Amino acid sequence: MKLVKSLYGNGLWRRNLVFLLPCLLFAYPILAQSENNFIYSHGAIIRGDQSQKQIALVFTGHEYAEGGTVILNTLAEYHVKTSFFFTGDFYRNPGFQHLIKKINNQNHYLGAHSDQHLLYCDWIDRDSLLIDKAVFIKDIKDNYREMSKRGISPQKATYYLPPYEWYNETISKWTQEIDLQLINFSPGTRSNADYTHPGMSNYLSSEEIFKSIMSYEEEEGMNGFILLMHIGVGPKRKDKFYDLLPVLLEQLQTKGYQFVKIDQLLRSSKN
């Protein structure tokens, strides 16, 4: 396990690949539409009911959380409930306890994002697993154990967002076997590139990210969309996308979208 984390847990090369995930999702088009009008990819739900003008805004967190206060204040101002998926490392971080408590008290969804932020499968050969089932299950159980310590019931957090937003059919199957439902972001926008910084070849400014979202909405619509961002991106990125969250919420609400928690967006699949 230490070898896996050493090879895959750090480095700019894997961050560059994360940026390409929307393209990779289309490059491996194992998509299916269920009777509840959800879209699946490799066993994970990647979009909710497209007949409903709803969006689930989700924030992930592992190492950083500097946007937490700004994000929560904005959500309160615009009367929006959303979803946060954190690693066990995030939940046990002493510096994040006040923020986690505030998120919980404000009745947002709190979910799991793996305990140690492991990379499950190879970036190029997606079917090639980098962990075994025992490691996978232990890591998830450790994540939920940390959540339980903070008053977050596992029974009310049955949607699971994989680390790096990268997984395969086997990971989806293992997730279902422990009575969880794997989810992932809806491809098409660049919202998940909000972590990039100017030193990276794939850097996108907040303005470019914003334009990608609004352009997609204009061309395709965002009904049932799972829109992913990060609660913190670290000090190297000064241009924080969450500073544009008020404008984004206002524009999408003006277009008639309702922002809902992930369990509301997908209520007919699990809860």
Side-chain angles (χ1 to χ4, degrees), residues 11-82:
L12 292 179
W13 69 273
R14 54 98 174 161
R15 283 296 190 181
N16 290 338
L17 281 166
V18 170
F19 173 75
L20 296 174
L21 280 178
C23 300
L24 288 170
L25 282 171
F26 286 120
Y28 297 88
I30 303 177
L31 302 176
Q33 191 162 6
S34 70
E35 69 280 357
N36 50 21
N37 208 28
F38 296 169
I39 302 296
Y40 290 76
S41 175
H42 297 84
I45 301 173
I46 63 168
R47 191 161 179 173
D49 187 350
Q50 294 178 80
S51 70
Q52 302 298 315
K53 210 169 178 65
Q54 296 180 331
I55 295 173
L57 186 60
V58 303
F59 294 90
T60 63
H62 176 49
E63 297 177 272
Y64 304 111
E66 78 276 3
T69 298
V70 172
I71 290 168
L72 287 178
N73 289 344
T74 300
L75 296 175
E77 179 181 353
Y78 286 86
H79 307 288
V80 166
K81 297 298 181 185
T82 188

Side-chain angles (χ1 to χ4, degrees), residues 198-240:
M200 301 171 69
S201 61
N202 56 357
Y203 171 70
L204 280 184
S205 69
S206 292
E207 182 180 359
E208 290 173 303
I209 294 171
F210 183 86
K211 286 181 178 178
S212 80
I213 297 170
M214 299 314 299
S215 293
Y216 187 89
E217 194 286 323
E218 287 284 344
E219 296 170 9
E220 305 288 343
M222 295 179 71
N223 287 13
F225 216 79
I226 301 172
L227 189 65
L228 183 143
M229 303 175 193
H230 297 84
I231 194 169
V233 296
K236 292 184 179 180
R237 183 182 178 106
K238 307 301 181 184
D239 174 25
K240 310 289 189 178

Side-chain angles (χ1 to χ4, degrees), residues 70 74 77-78 241-251:
V70 172
T74 300
E77 179 181 353
Y78 286 86
F241 183 65
Y242 50 73
D243 288 334
L244 292 183
L245 187 58
V247 183
L248 180 66
L249 294 179
E250 185 173 331
Q251 290 208 18

Side-chain angles (χ1 to χ4, degrees), residues 44-45 85 159-162 167 181-185 226 262 266:
I45 301 173
F85 290 87
Y159 294 102
Y160 178 63
L161 186 64
Y167 61 98
Q181 173 62 56
L182 202 67
I183 64 166
N184 203 12
F185 64 84
I226 301 172
I262 194 70
L266 305 178

